């Protein structure tokens, strides 16, 4: 809609309707932005917790692996490591948060029973195996969280940009237009009223 609209009742209705829709749009975008920010902050806190646990588990896993290397020998451990099953159970689904698609990464829980035999192995290797399986599970979860945070952040940025455009450009524009047209119509009405009074007075004088 142009800024220099003709001061008609039709244009006034159009300007007021656009202003009303713009304000509703801003309220919806503001609500969406707040929900997305809250969701992102919760995920950021969870990511910190998972990262801390992951770092601790990694340290325990490598410590157990180092003990296994010392007890069993590096070559023996490497030979047993080749029996590890390649991970292919990871599946990715999507969930929606206010229209934003967030990945949900799922992986089958690994079996607690080791893939190697007990002959010639040690409890240190068992512990390392368990810890590294935990590392895998936490890594999958951390990847899911970080991807979700990135997507939410990008959408928050877009939502903020659209909300700012409505708040700072569209809404003030149509508020001004509505006021200008309203004032012009009132002035026109006053002029018409004055003209009619003059005509009436003229007729009466005759």
């Amino acid at each position: 809609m142009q800024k220099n609209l003709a001061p008609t009742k039709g244009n006034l209705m159009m300007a007021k309707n656009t202003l009303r829709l713009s304000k509703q749009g801003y309220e919806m975008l503001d609500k969406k932005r707040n929900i997305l920010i809250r969701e992102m902050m919760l995920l950021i806190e969870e990511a910190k917790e998972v990262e801390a646990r992951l770092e601790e588990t990694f340290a325990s896993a490598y410590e157990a692996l180092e003990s296994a290397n010392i007890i069993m020998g590096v070559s023996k451990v490497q030979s047993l490591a080749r029996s590890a099953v390649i991970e292919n159970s990871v599946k990715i689904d999507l969930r929606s948060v206010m229209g934003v698609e967030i990945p949900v990464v799922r992986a089958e829980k690994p079996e607690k029973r080791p893939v190697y035999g007990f002959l010639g192995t040690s409890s240190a290797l068992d512990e390392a195996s368990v810890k590294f399986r935990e590392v895998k599970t936490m890594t999958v979860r951390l990847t899911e969280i970080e991807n979700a945070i990135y997507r939410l952040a990008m959408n928050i940025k877009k939502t903020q940009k659209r909300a700012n455009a409505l708040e700072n450009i569209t809404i003030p524009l149509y508020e001004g237009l509505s006021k200008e047209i309203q004032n012009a119509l009132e002035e026109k009405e006053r002029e018409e009223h004055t003209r009619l009074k003059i005509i009436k007075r003229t007729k009466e004088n005759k």
Side-chain angles (χ1 to χ4, degrees):
M1 192 179 289
Q2 297 178 350
K3 293 183 180 181
N4 53 343
L5 284 175
T8 65
K9 290 184 178 180
N11 284 337
L12 178 61
M13 290 178 61
M14 221 187 311
K16 284 185 174 181
N17 188 51
T18 302
L19 177 60
R20 179 178 57 82
L21 292 175
S22 297
K23 287 181 176 180
Q24 288 177 352
Y26 173 77
E27 289 174 1
M28 290 177 63
L29 288 172
D30 188 53
K31 180 180 179 181
K32 176 181 179 180
R33 176 184 55 192
N34 290 334
I35 291 173
L36 294 181
I37 289 174
R38 185 166 62 249
E39 180 78 12
M40 186 178 71
M41 296 307 295
L42 289 173
L43 287 173
I44 288 173
E45 288 303 312
E46 185 178 355
K48 290 178 182 178
E49 294 175 5
V50 174
E51 279 185 285
R53 293 205 319 268
L54 182 59
E55 186 176 343
E56 182 180 339
T57 307
F58 251 128
S60 299
Y62 278 114
E63 185 178 341
L65 181 61
E66 186 177 353
S67 297
N69 284 333
I70 293 172
I71 296 170
M72 300 167 50
V74 175
S75 59
K76 175 68 173 178
V77 172
Q78 287 179 339
S79 176
L80 291 171
R82 295 189 186 95
S83 63
V85 179
I86 297 175
E87 175 59 66
N88 60 359
S89 68
V90 176
K91 300 289 186 298
I92 300 176
D93 296 321
L94 294 171
R95 68 183 177 95
S96 179
V97 179
M98 294 297 290
V100 182
E101 290 189 337
I102 304 298
V104 178
V105 185
R106 306 184 189 282
E108 293 179 5
K109 290 185 178 181
E111 293 185 8
K112 294 182 179 180
R113 186 177 59 184
V115 295
Y116 51 83
F118 292 106
L119 184 63
T121 62
S122 69
S123 60
L125 184 62
D126 297 340
E127 184 181 354
S129 178
V130 170
K131 291 294 182 182
F132 276 114
R133 284 198 294 270
E134 291 177 7
V135 164
K136 184 196 79 170
T137 302
M138 283 187 280
T139 301
V140 169
R141 178 57 181 157
L142 185 59
T143 301
E144 176 186 347
I145 295 171
E146 289 179 342
N147 194 296
I149 290 171
Y150 173 78
R151 292 193 181 200
L152 287 170
M154 294 301 294
N155 206 276
I156 289 169
K157 186 177 180 180
K158 290 179 182 178
T159 304
Q160 180 71 56
K161 187 175 180 180
R162 291 170 62 192
N164 286 344
L166 286 173
E167 183 181 23
N168 301 321
I169 300 174
T170 307
I171 292 175
L173 171 62
Y174 284 96
E175 282 179 338
L177 281 175
S178 298
K179 187 175 181 180
E180 286 178 13
I181 295 173
Q182 183 72 44
N183 291 339
L185 288 174
E186 289 175 357
E187 180 64 27
K188 188 176 180 181
E189 188 176 339
R190 283 193 295 270
E191 290 176 356
E192 182 66 18
H193 181 68
T194 302
R195 188 178 69 82
L196 290 174
K197 283 178 68 178
I198 293 172
I199 293 173
K200 183 180 179 182
R201 191 182 302 121
T202 303
K203 286 182 177 180
E204 289 175 350
N205 290 335
K206 287 182 179 181

